[in-house]
Amino acid sequence: DKSFEYEKEVRSFINLEADKLCYIKYRNRNGLIIPYIEIPYEKKFLKEIWLPGSNETTELTKNSIVRLLKQYGYNDVEIKFSNLSYRP
C-alpha cells in the first residue's frame, strides 16, 4: 500500500527445506496460530517502531515498548505514530 511507503520497511521471504522446519516457532494472537522464524540482526538496524496513533492505549503501549527496548539494549530507537491502520 502506497500509504506505508514512507516507512521504508524491509520484508523478506524464507523458503525452508523440509529438514529445516524445526526452526519455525509459533505464537498465538487472538486465537490465531502464527508461524515465525527468529532471525538475529545487529541492533543498529532497528531505527524506528511505528504504532497506530488512534488507539486508547497508545501511550501505555509506547511506554511498554520503550521499557522493552531499554531492557534489551536498544537505546536509539524512535517510537513514531501513524494515523493509518495496520490492515486495509
Side-chain angles (χ1 to χ4, degrees):
D1 187 306
K2 288 268 189 203
S3 303
F4 295 99
E5 193 173 289
Y6 68 96
E7 293 183 15
K8 297 180 184 133
E9 179 177 311
V10 176
R11 293 184 184 207
S12 62
F13 175 80
I14 298 173
N15 188 12
L16 295 177
E17 300 295 327
D19 64 333
K20 304 290 187 212
L21 296 179
C22 60
Y23 293 108
I24 299 175
K25 296 184 178 190
Y26 298 89
R27 65 185 177 92
N28 180 328
R29 182 173 183 225
N30 298 327
L32 295 174
I33 305 300
I34 301 171
Y36 69 95
I37 300 170
E38 289 184 353
I39 300 174
Y41 59 90
E42 293 181 42
K43 291 179 180 173
K44 68 181 180 181
F45 292 122
L46 182 60
K47 300 288 185 191
E48 304 171 338
I49 295 178
W50 284 83
L51 300 174
S54 59
N55 189 317
E56 64 274 0
T57 60
T58 299
E59 278 303 312
L60 180 61
T61 301
K62 176 185 175 185
N63 293 338
S64 295
I65 290 174
V66 167
R67 285 193 301 272
L68 176 73
L69 291 168
K70 285 183 181 180
Q71 179 178 338
Y72 287 96
Y74 291 87
N75 300 312
D76 298 317
V77 179
E78 187 175 354
I79 306 297
K80 294 186 174 184
F81 296 96
S82 172
N83 292 325
L84 303 170
S85 65
Y86 286 131
R87 299 189 186 274

